[in-house]
Amino acid sequence: MAELNHNTIAGALDGLAKKQFSARELAGAHVMQMAKHRDLNAYVTETPEKALAMAEASDARRAKGEAGLMEGIPLGIKDLFCTEGVLTTAGSHILDGFKPTYESTVTANLWKAGAVMLGKLNMDEFAMGSSNGTSYHGPVTNPWRRRGENTRLVPGGSSGGSAAAVAARMALAATGTDTGGSIRQPAAFTGIVGLKPTYGRCSRWGIVAFASSLDQAGPMCRSVEDAAIMLTAMAGHDPKDSTSVDIAVPDFRKAVEGGVKGLKVGIPKEYRLDGLAPEIAKLWEQGAAWLKEQGAEIKEISLPHTKYALPVYYIIAPAEASSNLARYDGVRFGLRVPGESLDDMYERTRAEGFGKEVKRRIMIGTYVLSAGYYDAYYVRAQRIRALILKDFTDAFKDVDVVLTPSTPSAAFGLEEKFDDPVAMYLNDVFTVTVNLAGLPGISVPAGVDGRGLPLGLQLIGRAFDEETVLKAGRAIERAASFTLAPEGF
Amino acid sequence: MSLDPKQVKHIATLARIKVPDSDLAGLVNELNGIMTWIEQLNEVKVDGVEPMAGVLSRDLPERKDVVSDGGDPEKVLKNAPDRAHGFFVVPKVVE
């Protein structure tokens, strides 16, 4: 039963249906791969016994003819999703020992569809980071290496463990969350597909909150079709999340092979940044050419407020985080550091429990919301956010989908220092606008750079039009025929 | 404008994060680096633009005003660092 873990979701569902292998064998192959590549530090918690028990239950359901949409598919779960009875840390020291007594809606939906849990995946602390370097559990190593080099590279972030695990065949697919690019950037860095759905498509209930008006869960997979299958299982209205939208969930898989004939594809001129790496620019042009060859019409568009998206994000996201993270006070769960008074206990617990980047963002958020600065920073950022959304609304009058690079570079080195936080923030320059506007976006592996590292292209669609995003993503995937896997996995 | 150590200390107090004096200078520099970068937002004309709190342009749905959950203190207290008699325990707040 070698190589079962090299399958796609679609391929595995087919093999399971034809009884070529069992869900237990499929789970077992992944459990072995997880044990073999522990040095990547992709998993915070492995749950092999749970995986095998869930897989056996899945086999029993299938035998009774009760197979669900994801029946028997073994998944890794980002450690931001609350999983009942299983350690959930959000990559933070402050959630030490936290075992939720409830299950997030998205993971509950996946288990209901028959999926099997392999374990919980490493991530940047509270999803704040672009390298997985802010995790309390240590960095994750990207399974990819530069050609002829042994330098350890980052998998991107914040869903870095998810990306590394899927690329290294330690999970057939994984959940991620995306607040400013946290699904799409690591997907691009590891040569996999990452989809951020429309805000409101997946329930946020039971996902540790970072920035509530931006956070959205999505699938991280090895094909566009897999992302479509998994999104169908994850999505749906949830009365427990007031921002979850009550709208029918299509069978996204049916949209994937729809083709791009007659589709209008926008190329935003403001994304041609000064100093954009020639390799990235070339891949972007290639992507447009691929879509044109398949019958799409390419149009230049303008998104004039693009350059303000990152600074707007770095007001709005920290503001929301400072409020959301107020709950970590040493009283109800996680770490407590004793103090002389209640306030002293709060201050000591939060000083020790939060890492540097999280503290920085809480303090920025506290500042921009504080008396005297609220209008100058927070309200101004909210107004510019409206202008960014308007840019897209105007553009989508002329085009059906927007094509951009996913990231400004390929994966960088684990040891490359980012002393300047702003330099790290620039990783999300192409992805963050999508969160501010609440739109769906996908990153699809489209090629490699001069040193053999994967690069991604991003497609952005209208709100609740994931189907067009998937169709166009599939067209890129078909043309790029990116079949490379990291060496040695 | 830029933040001085006194302001940063005040922000840390509002955020309930203890900052040792030895870390203060570095933190002032980092926060000022971020805030200086953010200043570019001042060049955008925002007159007449409504602030946007979220992307959903509808009123949030209301649910029926009935008890739908609760009555399980054991579940609520399960992860408490300190508890007694069915309550969370904190340091003494009343003299």
Side-chain angles (χ1 to χ4, degrees):
Chain A
M1 281 300 156
E3 313 268 306
L4 276 187
N5 54 321
H6 282 241
N7 234 314
T8 56
I9 294 177
L13 287 172
D14 195 43
L16 288 163
K18 289 181 178 152
K19 298 191 167 49
Q20 289 164 349
F21 47 84
S22 66
R24 199 187 188 285
E25 286 164 328
L26 185 62
H30 284 89
V31 167
M32 272 175 63
Q33 183 80 344
M34 285 156 68
K36 193 170 157 194
H37 295 291
R38 235 165 239 152
D39 57 323
L40 296 181
N41 202 26
Y43 281 88
V44 173
T45 307
E46 296 181 12
T47 55
E49 282 153 25
K50 195 176 179 76
L52 296 177
M54 284 176 88
E56 278 170 21
S58 169
D59 282 328
R61 279 193 301 271
R62 189 177 284 281
K64 280 195 284 182
E66 294 167 4
L69 190 63
M70 296 273 289
E71 196 61 64
I73 300 301
L75 301 176
I77 301 298
K78 187 177 184 180
D79 210 21
L80 204 61
F81 292 79
C82 287
T83 41
E84 192 174 353
V86 177
L87 186 68
T88 299
T89 71
S92 184
H93 185 28
I94 211 158
L95 273 170
D96 273 359
F98 176 58
K99 289 185 177 168
T101 53
Y102 49 85
E103 185 80 24
S104 85
T105 299
V106 160
T107 48
N109 287 348
L110 288 166
W111 312 144
K112 211 170 73 192
V116 167
M117 178 160 94
L118 294 167
K120 301 296 291 289
L121 292 157
N122 205 342
M123 55 179 283
D124 279 301
E125 185 179 5
F126 286 107
M128 298 178 188
S130 305
S131 69
N132 215 110
T134 71
S135 171
Y136 176 67
H137 310 290
V140 175
T141 304
N142 191 330
W144 290 83
R145 303 276 162 110
R146 290 174 186 137
R147 198 178 293 120
E149 273 188 37
N150 265 324
T151 314
R152 293 198 305 157
L153 305 175
V154 304
S158 68
S159 311
S162 301
V166 175
R169 276 67 182 164
M170 298 157 80
L172 198 36
T175 60
T177 62
D178 192 315
T179 305
S182 281
I183 285 176
R184 291 159 288 156
Q185 184 254 18
F189 275 15
T190 54
I192 65 167
V193 174
L195 172 62
K196 183 204 94 73
T198 309
Y199 184 81
R201 179 64 91 179
C202 293
S203 170
R204 293 182 296 104
W205 193 84
I207 301 173
V208 175
F210 162 14
S212 303
S213 82
L214 303 164
D215 298 342
Q216 187 60 203
M220 301 178 75
C221 302
R222 292 196 293 263
S223 78
V224 174
E225 185 182 25
D226 283 7
I229 296 169
M230 189 163 157
L231 177 61
T232 308
M234 291 169 75
H237 177 241
D238 177 12
K240 287 189 283 191
D241 171 6
S242 63
T243 63
S244 144
V245 175
D246 194 358
I247 179 174
V249 180
D251 181 355
F252 290 111
R253 192 176 184 178
K254 286 192 179 135
V256 170
E257 296 295 345
V260 294
K261 206 167 163 44
L263 203 71
K264 291 189 187 117
V265 180
I267 308 290
K269 61 178 184 197
E270 290 81 5
Y271 281 55
R272 274 185 215 115
L273 308 174
D274 291 339
L276 179 64
E279 284 176 322
I280 303 282
K282 208 177 123 201
L283 185 77
W284 191 13
E285 280 167 30
Q286 176 68 72
W290 282 332
L291 293 175
K292 201 173 167 191
E293 280 161 24
Q294 295 177 62
E297 185 189 332
I298 309 297
K299 292 180 86 167
E300 184 172 276
I301 57 164
S302 175
L303 300 168
H305 295 89
T306 296
K307 69 173 278 209
Y308 303 110
L310 268 176
V312 162
Y313 176 85
Y314 277 96
I315 290 181
I316 290 176
E320 294 184 16
S322 73
S323 169
N324 273 327
L325 273 58
R327 76 192 67 178
Y328 304 102
D329 55 7
V331 175
R332 284 160 298 165
F333 31 65
L335 181 75
R336 168 181 292 195
V337 179
E340 289 157 19
S341 63
L342 184 58
D343 271 331
D344 191 45
M345 188 270 282
Y346 292 154
E347 291 194 353
R348 286 174 191 273
T349 299
R350 291 164 65 81
E352 191 175 316
F354 292 135
K356 270 182 106 167
E357 179 62 20
V358 173
K359 281 191 251 194
R360 264 200 293 267
R361 295 203 198 183
I362 291 174
M363 290 181 66
I364 292 280
T366 303
Y367 176 56
V368 300
L369 290 176
S370 64
Y373 301 98
Y374 183 84
D375 287 327
Y377 289 115
Y378 184 59
V379 177
R380 170 169 282 267
Q382 285 188 313
R383 290 185 207 276
I384 302 172
R385 182 176 181 188
L387 294 173
I388 290 165
L389 173 62
K390 187 176 179 298
D391 284 356
F392 278 104
T393 310
D394 291 345
F396 280 125
K397 286 176 188 157
D398 293 329
V399 297
D400 302 306
V401 71
V402 174
L403 176 73
T404 80
S406 300
T407 57
S409 74
F412 46 87
L414 215 54
E415 317 296 333
E416 283 166 27
K417 289 285 179 215
F418 279 86
D419 290 335
D420 174 11
V422 175
M424 186 63 99
Y425 297 169
L426 294 177
N427 265 290
D428 292 332
V429 65
F430 296 129
T431 48
V432 75
T433 50
V434 175
N435 299 77
L436 291 168
L439 304 173
I442 196 170
S443 175
V444 178
V448 292
D449 74 352
R451 295 187 282 190
L453 294 179
L455 295 171
L457 286 172
Q458 174 181 233
L459 291 140
I460 305 165
R462 296 184 180 100
F464 296 103
D465 188 14
E466 284 87 356
E467 288 164 289
T468 298
V469 167
L470 287 161
K471 259 196 302 206
R474 172 68 188 124
I476 293 285
E477 182 182 56
R478 194 185 293 128
S481 54
F482 186 93
T483 51
L484 297 174
E487 221 172 292
F489 294 88
Chain B
M1 63 149 281
S2 70
L3 294 163
D4 61 36
K6 201 178 144 216
Q7 275 175 299
V8 170
K9 196 92 185 167
H10 177 61
I11 297 166
T13 305
L14 290 176
R16 298 291 183 271
I17 295 172
K18 194 176 271 306
V19 176
D21 288 337
S22 54
D23 290 357
L24 198 56
L27 196 55
V28 169
N29 274 337
E30 286 166 9
L31 296 186
N32 274 326
I34 297 167
M35 292 314 295
T36 305
W37 171 68
I38 283 172
E39 294 296 329
Q40 59 179 297
L41 295 181
N42 290 331
E43 68 196 50
V44 184
K45 278 204 172 59
V46 294
D47 307 333
V49 181
E50 278 298 304
M52 173 183 164
V55 294
L56 300 174
S57 52
R58 59 172 173 85
D59 293 334
L60 291 178
E62 292 174 359
R63 65 170 177 82
K64 286 210 176 72
D65 188 15
V66 292
V67 177
S68 59
D69 200 359
D72 196 344
E74 190 46 45
K75 251 183 159 176
V76 173
L77 290 166
K78 191 140 184 91
N79 284 286
D82 194 7
R83 55 184 284 187
H85 316 298
F87 293 96
F88 295 107
V89 174
V90 297
K92 194 171 169 184
V93 286
V94 183
E95 288 305 322

